[in-house]
């Protein structure tokens, strides 16, 4: 086949030909000699090839492997986990990507299956995120009453000083009385949706900093239905209540909570026994839905465990060529074959071809340009779509974001009591602090890592993970490391630190030039067209966090759900 011939020619033309180690399983190979060097011309044949070793790809490969599918996972970088990187040094543990996850059954399940559930740690859910406004920190309304009616009332009552009385009244009208209907045509941005229902002040002081913290995005280009579908759905629940003619949001929120409770009771997690084995399984650890969680040594505990399961232990001295996880493999092309697909890779050992019955790409959209042209031209909108209405001319946008972790002595923080009885700021009682763009602080948000999870630093320090950059501050990527740290330190001093605080102890600075995919206006149409194109290529799936959600739990849940789809496809052939 053409692609396999290209691989063979690329191998023969390589300037350094030390030979390929035989990958497992089922390698068909012949060996020739060129100018005294050993060259292997062969192809790896598997049932399923997973391209992209981020959390989505890792989780999918784990579930397929555990289900008995002959799978290989190929990753362009030299480690698994994508943007999930955890570090440890001198008594500090920190993250260089995402900081935590909102706990879901899929995460507890996969941790249990990998034997790392004993390393799970959970934050105190009663502690709030804080918003920096007007020189003070305000607890972002989330409802100390929890997820039930009391919590809903507290959420929409918007107690505290974050909102003015006119802002509270405007939000209360939308929450308890009703609001203007959605426009008959067109797609709403996050800003348009929030201001229509709850008012401009709620948007500027609550939602804008939240969106900056989650997406590092611009609420004036992000699509409400695409980026925040679970929140947007509450409006539909509101109108579904027959007597709620004007769509008061509070009642829709209650209806959704009741529905969620019923769903979880009807299909609770079943940790008691693996149905494929008559031997009872130990129970899962206790958890609360949505509670912030991590692992004792950071989020990378999960991809490291999957890497070990697939034959690439994190502490191995050399890359294992026989492992089912292939590191340093960059996908260069895909074509259709009589029995499935063939994929070409550039690898540390030269060009390699893999044939498979099913291929799943979880690689970032920005890495796929040209790769699927021969087999799935319908994937082109992911990286070529022009959307003049938002100034976007290159498909799904991934802005630059830098994760900066710094530590300060606890004594360096302001000695002030926080409102609502949460305690002293020096103890950092909360999830973190968010900065509305109106406050003039360049840092998007600061996660209070050491107060979330135990063992993150020595007892006399606080550790802060700061995110800076995003789609409204792309110039951040042009700064050198010292300048980025200086901007972060300025933000910490403006919001958290006392006068005369010492310079920060810099633990990590990681710039992600293409970070979180932006679910902007037109995104849902791009995904719909991609899915329509996939219908013509059975067994080929182009997926990723630009399709199934950017959050850590979304990626893990995707791996569990999509493994079922792939297994069903393979079983049907």
């Amino acid at each position: 086949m053409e692609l396999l011939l290209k691989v063979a020619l690329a191998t023969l033309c390589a300037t350094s030909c030390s030979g390929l180690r035989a990958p497992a399983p089922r390698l068909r190979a012949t060996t020739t000699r060129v100018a005294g060097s050993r060259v292997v011309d062969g192809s790896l044949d598997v049932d399923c090839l997973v391209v992209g070793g981020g959390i989505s790809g890792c989780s999918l490969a784990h579930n397929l492997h555990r289900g008995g599918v002959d799978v290989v996972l190929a990753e362009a970088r030299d480690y698994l986990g994508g943007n999930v990187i955890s570090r440890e040094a001198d008594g500090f543990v920190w993250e260089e990507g995402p900081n935590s996850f909102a706990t879901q059954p899929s995460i507890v399940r996969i941790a249990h299956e990998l034997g790392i559930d004993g390393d799970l740690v959970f934050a105190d859910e009663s502690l709030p995120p804080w918003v920096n406004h007007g020189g003070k920190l305000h607890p972002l309304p989330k409802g100390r009453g929890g997820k039930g009616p009391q919590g809903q009332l507290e959420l929409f009552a918007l107690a505290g000083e974050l909102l003015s009385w006119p802002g509270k009244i405007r939000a209360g009208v939308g929450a308890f009385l009703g609001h203007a209907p959605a426009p008959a045509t067109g797609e709403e941005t996050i800003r348009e949706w929030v201001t229509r229902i709850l008012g401009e002040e709620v948007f500027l002081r609550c939602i804008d900093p939240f969106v900056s913290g989650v997406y590092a995005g611009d609420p004036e280009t992000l699509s409400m239905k695409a980026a925040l579908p679970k929140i947007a759905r509450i409006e539909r629940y509101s109108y579904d209540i027959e007597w709620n003619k004007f769509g008061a949001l509070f009642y829709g929120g209650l209806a959704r909570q009741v529905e969620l409770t019923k769903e979880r009771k009807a299909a609770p997690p079943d940790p008691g026994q693996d149905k494929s084995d008559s031997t009872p399984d130990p129970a899962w650890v206790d958890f609360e839905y949505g509670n912030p969680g991590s692992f004792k040594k950071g989020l990378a505990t999960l991809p490291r465990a999957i890497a070990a399961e697939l034959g690439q232990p994190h502490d191995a001295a050399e890359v294992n060529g026989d492992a089912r996880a292939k590191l340093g493999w960059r996908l260069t092309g895909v074509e259709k074959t009589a029995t499935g697909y063939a994929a070409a890779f550039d690898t540390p050992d030269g060009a390699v071809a893999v044939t498979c019955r099913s291929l799943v790409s979880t690689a970032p959209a920005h890495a796929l340009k040209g790769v699927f042209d021969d087999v799935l031209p319908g994937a082109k909108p992911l990286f070529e779509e022009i959307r003049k209405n938002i100034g976007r001319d290159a498909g799904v946008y991934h802005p630059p974001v830098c994760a900066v972790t710094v530590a300060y002595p606890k004594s360096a923080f302001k000695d002030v009591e926080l409102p609502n009885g949460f305690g002293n700021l020096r103890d950092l009682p909360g999830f973190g602090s968010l900065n509305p763009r109106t406050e003039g602080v360049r840092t998007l948000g600061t996660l209070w890592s050491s107060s979330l999870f135990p063992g993150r630093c020595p007892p006399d320090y606080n550790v802060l993970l700061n995110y800076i950059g995003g789609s409204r501050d792309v110039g951040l990527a042009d700064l050198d490391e010292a300048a980025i740290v200086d901007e972060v330190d300025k933000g910490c001093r403006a919001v958290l630190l006392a006068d005369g605080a010492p310079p920060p102890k810099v633990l990590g600075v990681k710039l992600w030039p293409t970070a979180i995919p932006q679910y902007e206006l037109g995104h849902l149409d791009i995904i719909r067209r991609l899915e329509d194109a996939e219908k013509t290529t059975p067994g080929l799936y182009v997926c990723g966090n630009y399709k199934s959600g950017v959050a850590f739990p979304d990626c893990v849940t995707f791996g569990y759900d999509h493994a079922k789809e792939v297994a069903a496809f393979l079983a049907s052939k």
Side-chain angles (χ1 to χ4, degrees):
M1 291 176 292
E2 181 184 359
L3 186 140
L4 297 181
L5 289 173
K6 288 179 181 177
V7 170
L9 288 172
T11 304
L12 290 169
C13 295
T15 57
S16 175
C17 300
S18 58
L20 297 179
R21 291 168 291 191
R26 299 204 305 272
L27 177 70
R28 302 189 303 272
T30 58
T31 303
T32 59
R33 295 277 178 178
V34 179
S37 297
R38 182 173 179 273
V39 179
V40 175
D41 170 17
S43 65
L44 177 64
D45 182 25
V46 297
D47 285 336
C48 182
L49 170 65
V50 178
V51 178
I55 298 302
S56 296
C58 283
S59 300
L60 176 60
H62 159 78
N63 283 288
L64 290 171
H65 177 65
R66 191 170 187 269
V69 173
D70 178 16
V71 61
V72 159
L73 172 63
E75 165 56 42
R77 287 177 272 204
D78 61 357
Y79 67 95
L80 296 184
N83 290 1
V84 174
I85 300 177
S86 305
R87 303 291 190 192
E88 182 179 5
D90 301 326
F92 293 89
V93 177
W94 70 95
E95 306 282 4
E96 294 193 341
N99 180 73
S100 61
F101 51 72
T103 306
Q104 299 294 328
S106 59
I107 293 178
V108 181
R109 176 191 293 112
I110 199 170
H112 177 72
E113 291 170 352
L114 291 165
I116 56 175
D117 47 341
D119 293 325
L120 284 167
V121 289
F122 303 105
D124 182 353
E125 191 182 17
S126 69
L127 297 178
W130 296 80
V131 175
N132 166 42
H133 172 69
K136 296 174 61 177
L137 286 174
H138 306 265
L140 190 65
K142 62 179 289 186
R144 294 199 70 173
K147 302 181 179 71
Q150 181 185 346
Q152 290 288 314
L153 283 169
E154 291 171 359
L155 172 65
F156 286 110
L158 299 169
E161 301 177 359
L162 180 56
L163 297 181
S164 67
W165 274 110
K168 292 178 182 180
I169 293 170
R170 172 63 183 88
V173 169
F176 296 105
L177 298 179
H179 52 78
T185 59
E187 187 179 6
E188 284 185 291
T189 66
I190 291 177
R191 180 167 191 160
E192 289 169 340
W193 190 92
V194 174
T195 54
R196 174 172 62 85
I197 294 177
L198 297 174
E200 182 79 356
E201 200 169 289
V202 168
F203 167 75
L204 290 174
R205 300 184 189 180
C206 299
I207 304 302
D208 185 31
F210 168 76
V211 171
S212 294
V214 173
Y215 273 99
D218 184 351
E220 297 195 45
T221 63
L222 289 171
S223 162
M224 185 66 189
K225 286 185 177 179
L228 300 175
K230 294 179 182 178
I231 298 177
R233 198 180 305 151
I234 294 176
E235 184 178 13
R236 176 173 60 80
Y237 281 95
S238 299
Y239 280 114
D240 285 346
I241 301 172
E242 185 176 354
W243 55 264
N244 191 24
K245 301 297 184 182
F246 299 104
L249 207 65
F250 170 76
Y251 310 106
L254 286 183
R256 178 55 180 158
Q257 290 294 345
V258 170
E259 183 180 79
L260 280 174
T261 300
K262 289 180 178 179
E263 289 174 358
R264 290 167 181 172
K265 287 182 178 179
D270 186 11
Q273 184 172 333
D274 183 344
K275 296 298 185 292
S276 65
D277 190 342
S278 60
T279 304
D281 234 0
W284 293 358
V285 299
D286 292 332
F287 70 98
E288 291 287 336
Y289 282 87
N291 197 17
S294 183
F295 296 90
K296 292 177 181 176
K297 298 299 183 181
L299 293 178
T301 300
L302 178 61
R304 288 172 183 171
I306 294 174
E309 176 186 54
L310 299 178
Q312 294 284 9
H314 177 69
D315 55 358
E318 296 182 358
V319 172
N320 179 7
D322 294 332
R324 290 182 178 272
K326 307 296 184 182
L327 303 181
W329 282 36
R330 185 176 65 84
L331 182 67
T332 59
V334 177
E335 72 174 22
K336 190 78 175 69
T337 70
T339 57
Y341 302 92
F345 291 91
D346 283 339
T347 82
D349 295 314
V352 172
V354 179
T355 57
C356 56
R357 295 165 61 200
S358 177
L359 189 156
V360 185
S361 170
T362 64
H366 62 76
L368 298 179
K369 188 171 184 177
V371 169
F372 290 103
D373 286 359
D374 292 339
V375 65
L376 189 65
K380 288 184 178 180
L382 285 175
F383 33 83
E384 293 184 1
E385 183 76 359
I386 296 174
R387 288 171 283 173
K388 292 182 179 179
N389 59 324
I390 58 172
R392 195 69 63 224
D393 60 0
V396 178
Y397 178 50
H398 297 69
V401 177
C402 192
V404 182
T405 305
V406 292
Y408 299 92
K410 286 188 175 182
S411 58
F413 288 74
K414 295 177 182 177
D415 184 11
V416 296
E417 292 297 315
L418 293 169
N420 294 17
F422 281 106
N424 194 284
L425 177 59
R426 288 184 171 180
D427 296 323
L428 295 183
F431 192 87
S433 49
L434 299 170
N435 298 306
R437 297 300 81 198
T438 55
E439 294 303 303
V441 176
R442 194 167 185 178
T443 301
L444 298 171
T446 299
L447 295 174
W448 301 350
S449 302
S450 53
S451 67
L452 282 174
F453 308 117
R456 295 296 160 115
C457 66
D460 54 339
Y461 269 89
N462 285 327
V463 173
L464 308 173
L465 170 54
N466 303 268
Y467 296 110
I468 186 169
S471 60
R472 290 185 285 185
D473 188 11
V474 296
L476 182 281
D478 297 327
L479 301 180
D480 60 26
E481 184 173 305
I484 292 174
V485 171
D486 184 57
E487 290 292 340
V488 167
D489 183 53
K490 287 179 184 177
C492 291
R493 292 178 187 279
V495 180
L496 301 172
L497 300 180
D499 293 340
K505 179 180 179 64
V506 181
L507 299 175
V509 180
K510 178 65 176 180
L511 175 65
W512 300 98
T514 49
I516 305 169
Q518 301 295 292
Y519 284 46
E520 297 176 305
L521 295 179
H523 186 86
L524 292 177
D525 182 62
I526 291 175
I527 299 303
R528 179 189 58 77
R529 288 154 59 193
L530 172 63
E531 291 173 342
D532 287 345
E534 285 180 332
K535 294 175 183 177
T536 66
T537 54
L540 176 63
Y541 310 92
V542 179
C543 307
N545 62 356
Y546 53 84
K547 188 176 181 182
S548 55
V550 302
F552 193 100
D554 294 335
C555 298
V556 175
T557 301
F558 159 83
Y560 180 73
D561 291 340
H562 199 68
K564 297 178 183 178
E565 185 172 346
V566 172
F569 169 79
L570 294 173
S572 70
K573 299 300 178 182

